[in-house]
Amino acid sequence: MTVEQLWDKTWRIIAGLENANVEFLDAVNETTEQIFNYLWKRKSDLIREPMVLRPIYIDQTGAWFHLPADLRGLCELPRIHGTRIQLEPALEEDRAKLEGVKGEPTHYEILGRKLYVYPQPEDSPVVSGRYFQAPCPAEGFDDYLPFSGMFDAAYKTILLAIVSQGIATNLEPIVEQHIGQLLEVRDYHHPVRSRVRDF
């Protein structure tokens, strides 16, 4: 569903609200953020994406990779692509011991939008893993809502709560009710039935 289609489904209700003081696109983006945060807290597979980092940059600060702009956090420890060895988070003593050393990376550290590796590699490795991908904010009415249409029905309810009560409202109960129930149905596994054998 596009932002415009969501507007078509809600504008009559919004027009009847006397205290609607939130811009429509702001309300759409806040709804997206609320849904994403709910999924992020539950480490949902719906927001996990593969991550491949290249090329490596080496400067006076160390050896590092640019992180994706939509990265909200790592799902797993990163690794040097093509190996099974995961990089460990660099503690202060690891950094002190490994800074200026060259060799196969064994540790990593995230600073801002960069992922540093220690020791400094002598070749050009590729780092891979998985990360939590935050959806892009809607900028216009032609933009599609994220999450592949799975939460389109919930968007209407959550958005109307934001428009009528404001962005600062605690929306956790509404999000839990509408998104939590959908996830429970999606993730439900039927019990496995097996025949009882006579002995």
Side-chain angles (χ1 to χ4, degrees), residues 32 60 72 86 112 115 126 128 150:
T32 299
Q60 70 277 5
R72 193 61 68 90
Q86 292 180 315
L115 183 137
V126 174
S128 61
M150 184 170 185

Side-chain angles (χ1 to χ4, degrees), residues 150-168:
M150 184 170 185
F151 304 121
D152 283 1
Y155 257 89
K156 180 179 173 184
T157 304
I158 298 168
L159 179 130
L160 289 173
I162 289 169
V163 170
S164 64
Q165 300 170 27
I167 287 179

Side-chain angles (χ1 to χ4, degrees), residues 17-109:
L17 295 172
E18 294 176 9
N19 60 342
N21 55 5
V22 179
E23 292 292 328
F24 186 75
L25 276 179
D26 292 340
V28 170
N29 289 327
E30 180 61 24
T31 302
T32 299
E33 187 69 16
Q34 292 285 334
I35 294 171
F36 172 80
N37 287 337
Y38 184 88
L39 297 173
W40 189 24
K41 279 188 213 170
R42 280 143 190 83
K43 309 293 186 229
S44 174
D45 63 293
L46 293 171
I47 56 171
R48 294 179 190 213
E49 288 294 327
M51 174 181 73
V52 177
L53 304 178
R54 64 164 75 96
I56 191 166
Y57 298 90
I58 298 174
D59 59 22
Q60 70 277 5
T61 65
W64 53 273
F65 297 87
H66 275 296
L67 288 169
D70 55 5
L71 178 137
R72 193 61 68 90
L74 297 176
C75 301
E76 60 189 25
L77 293 175
R79 64 187 175 283
I80 300 298
H81 191 68
T83 71
R84 291 179 178 232
I85 301 168
Q86 292 180 315
L87 302 176
E88 294 294 324
L91 303 174
E92 192 172 329
E93 56 266 24
D94 297 321
R95 277 195 313 276
K97 192 169 49 175
L98 297 172
E99 277 183 323
V101 176
K102 293 196 176 187
E104 185 74 18
T106 56
H107 291 76
Y108 80 95
E109 178 180 35

